[in-house]
Amino acid sequence: MSTHPDIIPQAGILDISPYTAGKSGPGGGNRVTKLSSNENPLGPSPLAKTAYMDMAACLEIYPPSDHADLRNAIAEVHGLNSKNIICGAGSDEIIAFLCQTYAGQGDEVLYTEHGFAMYRISAMAAGATPVIALESNRTADIDALLAACTDATKLVFLANPNNPTGTMVSDAEIARLAENLPKQALLVLDGAYAEYVPSFDGHAGLVKGRKNVFMTRTFSKIYGLGGARVGWGYGPDHVIGALNRVRGPFNVSAAGLKAAIAAINDKQYTAKCQQENIKWREWLSAELALVGVPSDPSQTNFILARFGDDKTALECDAYLAKNGLIVRVVTSYGLAECLRITIGDEIGCRAVAGRVAEFMKGARA
Ligand SMILES: *Cc1c(COP(=O)(O)O)cnc(C)c1O
């Protein structure tokens, strides 16, 4: 990469490996099915689309800076206090606010072995040191996390269920983590996939009544609004107060706010997306297991398919790509023998199951 002799980024910035997004596939006319970024194959609620398009009539108007309408809608649906909610341009922005606010030079940001890439990037962008706790069988290990804590640990990020493993640990285990962290550490529970788990509150209940636990959520996954960039966080007064000092006043777009409100209020549509996802996830994981490609029980809208070795996984990725199916190589997560496959619609699931079966029976790109 190119550098300038005098205009120099802060220490550590150039050590960051940039985020690699799920591939979109070849441009042009080729029809591809994108199963690489955990997007909702059914798209957002039609009501959210209409709300978004309606905002085209007043694009010159700045959005509200307090996000009150969206915070109230979230509070109502989840039974939370709206003053303990903060909205961001995706939950990625909330993750960045947390790192900027709580972690700097000499501080440690802890997360699990196969934790979401943005924890490391945001920690390093803030000048802090990322620290990894090993998982056990691709599942967060609470004892390993506790053992990795030091006097310098400021933030502990844990996605539950986790991306890219799809696995989940119990509420009791998370409570044990919260209760045994060093006193200067804030536990951040990333609930990006919480809506895919029936009757799961994303650990909102653990945030209530504690001063050291925070929850992040997103409209990018089950709500199908990844392109609109809306996420939120829920936590104690002292954290919300600090994050709001870092947040820019107009960080969420007007159309994004309106679309998110419509999406969260369309509970019927969300329930349908949850049911379809479970149905096709269970079908796909069973089909792949039958042809020798196992995966851990997933609680999310993707499965982490295990191919036994790196070479087979890469060859299968190439075979799928040749046939218009884009999945996610997860080498950067230390899972080179796996491919992460988003649960598509029925057509997408049948297509990927069929192609993986062909590949396992000897077909090659
Ligand atoms: C997708 C994802 C997010 C968030 O994405 P945004 O689009 O920025 O809200 C956060 N955490 C995990 C674990 C994710 O997989």
Side-chain angles (χ1 to χ4, degrees), residues 19 37-38 88-95 115-119 158-164 190-193 216-221 225-227 229-232 301-302 333 340:
Y19 185 86
S37 298
N38 300 341
S91 50
D92 283 356
E93 192 186 30
I94 308 284
I95 293 167
F116 184 50
M118 289 312 298
Y119 308 151
L158 181 60
N160 203 36
N162 186 51
N163 171 20
D190 181 337
Y193 301 94
T216 62
R217 301 286 283 264
T218 183
F219 282 92
S220 302
K221 303 287 158 61
L225 291 172
R229 311 304 304 131
V230 193
W232 55 284
N301 67 337
F302 57 85
Y333 283 94
R340 192 192 69 189

